[in-house]
Amino acid sequence: MKFTIITPNYNGAEYIEECVKSVARQKVDFEHIIIDGGSTDLSLEILKKYPHLKVISEKDDGMYDAINKGIAFSQGDVISYINCDDRYPDGSLSKVLTAFNNDNADYVYGDCRFIDYFENEIYVYRVPPIFSNLLKKITVVPWAQPSVFYRRKVFDEIGCFNIKYLYGSDYHFMKRVILSKLNGVRVNKVLSEFMLREGSLGNRYLLDMMSEGVQIKKDLGILDKPILDFFYNSYRKIYNFHTFINRSKII
């Protein structure tokens, strides 16, 4: 089974090399596709150091357009994307491979380690077990984006990312997956590392992301369930008591 890892990049020279190294250390069959939006920093010079990479550098219509290009160019059986400032811990893709081989999974998801700019651990978010019927009813997506991996058939059935959403297309895509008949399998291991930093899209455009989230739920016909979401969020906080007691930052 071959993995396709897609990394959208635009002027991410400060972070991209460690991302590339983290993928290269995985002991699985993989291709790593970098979709660069025409960077003007040293990104392309850094990427030239790694001949195994497949690099496309041209202007695009944003991050999700870049990811869609990577999907179209991909040859792997399992597809995921990781941003230039995120990483895979050693051995994480082997754990994903085992889950795909041992379970009837269309997609696999797991825990995520949140790190700071210096790549020190802030906390680990553990995805709590959840029944599939309840997963379809809550409005939140309970896992972190870099820690989910899809068989190619998922994109064949669901389609790619909708580029009309500038900040929340991954939420839109994952909710479509959840609402489908596709089978997801949880891995109780850390599968990715997500960098929390001030300049990230999530911090700069938080209000826009929230606004898009409201529109996405409307577009998908998802009704708000504040009581159910409240109880689920309380449940995942209890499940992650190690985080919520010791850290001030939560998701």
Side-chain angles (χ1 to χ4, degrees):
M1 184 177 290
K2 183 174 184 177
F3 285 77
T4 292
I5 306 302
I6 300 165
T7 298
N9 178 70
Y10 180 70
N11 288 343
E14 191 172 358
Y15 313 101
I16 189 72
E17 190 162 21
E18 291 307 314
C19 174
V20 169
K21 288 179 178 179
S22 78
V23 177
R25 287 194 296 266
Q26 303 300 314
K27 299 185 183 302
V28 297
D29 184 16
F30 75 90
E31 62 176 2
H32 192 180
I33 302 174
I34 311 292
I35 308 295
D36 180 82
S39 291
T40 56
D41 64 0
L42 294 176
S43 290
L44 295 177
E45 290 301 312
I46 292 171
L47 297 176
K48 287 179 182 178
K49 296 163 56 178
Y50 301 93
H52 71 282
L53 296 174
K54 298 178 180 180
V55 180
I56 299 173
S57 183
E58 60 186 22
K59 290 186 178 180
D60 54 46
D61 291 325
M63 178 176 69
Y64 300 112
D65 182 42
I67 296 167
N68 286 344
K69 288 181 183 180
I71 295 169
F73 192 63
S74 68
Q75 297 181 332
D77 306 295
V78 173
I79 300 173
S80 187
Y81 83 88
I82 185 171
N83 289 320
C84 66
D85 52 355
D86 300 331
R87 287 89 178 86
Y88 289 135
D90 291 353
S92 58
L93 296 194
S94 295
K95 297 176 180 119
V96 175
L97 179 61
T98 298
F100 274 115
N101 285 336
N102 292 345
D103 298 289
N104 183 27
D106 297 312
Y107 62 99
V108 169
Y109 59 92
D111 302 341
C112 182
R113 177 180 295 113
F114 286 74
I115 59 175
D116 63 17
Y117 175 83
F118 301 102
E119 305 199 22
N120 298 313
E121 179 180 310
I122 302 174
Y123 61 86
V124 171
Y125 172 71
R126 298 163 60 218
V127 183
I130 183 171
F131 293 112
S132 59
N133 287 340
L134 179 59
L135 180 60
K136 293 178 186 295
K137 292 178 181 178
I138 61 175
T139 64
V140 298
V141 173
W143 52 76
Q145 171 273 314
S147 289
V148 58
F149 302 80
Y150 307 95
R151 285 192 189 271
R152 177 175 294 278
K153 66 172 285 188
V154 172
F155 298 94
D156 294 336
E157 294 187 18
I158 301 297
C160 293
F161 293 87
N162 190 327
I163 65 172
K164 83 171 185 178
Y165 305 115
L166 299 179
Y167 312 108
S169 190
D170 49 354
Y171 173 73
H172 178 259
F173 179 81
M174 287 187 283
K175 285 304 297 183
R176 284 187 290 150
V177 170
I178 290 169
L179 293 171
S180 73
K181 295 182 180 180
L182 294 164
N183 181 42
V185 171
R186 169 179 165 269
V187 175
N188 191 24
K189 300 289 183 182
V190 172
L191 301 181
S192 71
E193 295 179 333
F194 184 97
M195 184 176 289
L196 291 173
R197 57 185 179 87
E198 290 185 1
S200 67
L201 287 176
N203 281 328
R204 284 185 293 165
Y205 301 106
L206 179 60
L207 294 179
D208 296 297
M209 292 177 68
M210 293 174 64
S211 177
E212 274 199 357
V214 172
Q215 183 61 48
I216 287 168
K217 286 188 283 187
K218 181 179 179 181
D219 291 346
L220 293 177
I222 298 172
L223 299 177
D224 281 325
K225 299 180 178 68
I227 296 176
L228 184 60
D229 284 350
F230 171 79
F231 280 109
Y232 176 75
N233 282 324
S234 298
Y235 161 58
R236 66 174 179 160
K237 287 181 180 180
I238 293 170
Y239 191 78
N240 284 275
F241 70 93
H242 62 289
T243 291
F244 297 100
I245 289 176
N246 297 319
R247 305 291 184 182
S248 60
K249 292 184 178 181
I250 62 175
I251 66 172

